[in-house]
Amino acid sequence: RNGFWYVDNNRDGVVDATAPDLGTPLMYTYSAPGVYTARVTVSLNDGSALTATCTVVVQSFAERDTLLRGIYTGMLDQLKAANIDGALTAITGGMRARYQVVFNVLQPSLPTVVDRLGTLQSGVLGYELAEYVIVRNQDGDSRAFLIYFLRSEDGVWRIDGM
């Protein structure tokens, strides 16, 4: 059906964004971190309207950066303790089996290997994907490697590749 839609992003009664047809995505940028309840209304050409509400959680760069760094550090802590199952909770479902094999092979030397994995440096954050640089000392030189974080299907951020 044809129609248009609009959204009140903080339920204050003011329309914050509109789209001329249902095929056009609505975009809105919140000015401050917080939890918002948005109300979306779809008005159809036959005069009917559908309204739904949803919760929107807005994080600052610093909050997301702290969260992702904590995931990496938590995984390293679990590996140092030789808790492979605990470390795997930081990995996305599709990559767990692959990393489980690697961690199991390294298990006898995990505490020393973990200390050489490197530290997170700068990162680029997207809506559902983040890319960071890990710097590690290898053969006397500093080398950069990439690590990817992905918001999993359950909404939780996890490591997808490193």
Side-chain angles (χ1 to χ4, degrees), residues 84-106:
I84 291 173
D85 289 338
L88 289 171
T89 63
I91 309 291
T92 58
M95 298 300 287
R96 278 191 191 125
R98 178 180 176 194
Y99 283 100
Q100 184 173 28
V101 170
V102 172
F103 295 160
N104 284 333
V105 168
L106 295 173

Side-chain angles (χ1 to χ4, degrees), residues 7-82:
V7 64
D8 172 1
N9 288 298
N10 54 9
R11 293 187 62 189
D12 63 358
V14 176
V15 173
D16 297 305
T18 62
D21 59 67
L22 300 179
T24 303
L26 282 173
M27 300 295 284
Y28 182 79
T29 301
Y30 288 90
S31 61
V35 178
Y36 300 88
T37 302
R39 180 181 298 141
V40 178
T41 302
V42 176
S43 293
L44 302 174
N45 287 342
D46 65 8
S48 64
L50 306 167
T51 299
T53 59
C54 64
T55 301
V56 178
V57 178
V58 178
Q59 288 184 312
S60 69
F61 176 87
E63 290 172 325
R64 176 78 51 84
D65 181 63
T66 299
L67 171 77
L68 297 176
R69 288 176 185 276
I71 292 167
Y72 180 69
T73 302
M75 181 194 70
L76 295 181
D77 290 344
Q78 293 297 318
L79 290 173
K80 282 181 187 177

Side-chain angles (χ1 to χ4, degrees), residues 94-151:
M95 298 300 287
R96 278 191 191 125
R98 178 180 176 194
Y99 283 100
Q100 184 173 28
V101 170
V102 172
F103 295 160
N104 284 333
V105 168
L106 295 173
Q107 187 170 20
S109 57
L110 274 177
T112 57
V113 169
V114 169
D115 289 334
R116 294 181 294 180
L117 286 178
T119 56
L120 285 183
Q121 300 298 314
S122 60
V124 177
L125 304 179
Y127 176 69
E128 294 192 4
L129 177 70
E131 177 187 74
Y132 278 77
V133 174
I134 296 178
V135 175
R136 86 174 67 136
N137 190 338
Q138 192 169 340
D139 301 325
D141 293 323
S142 290
R143 305 235 174 147
F145 300 88
L146 297 177
I147 181 171
Y148 294 93
F149 294 85
L150 183 69
R151 188 191 319 251

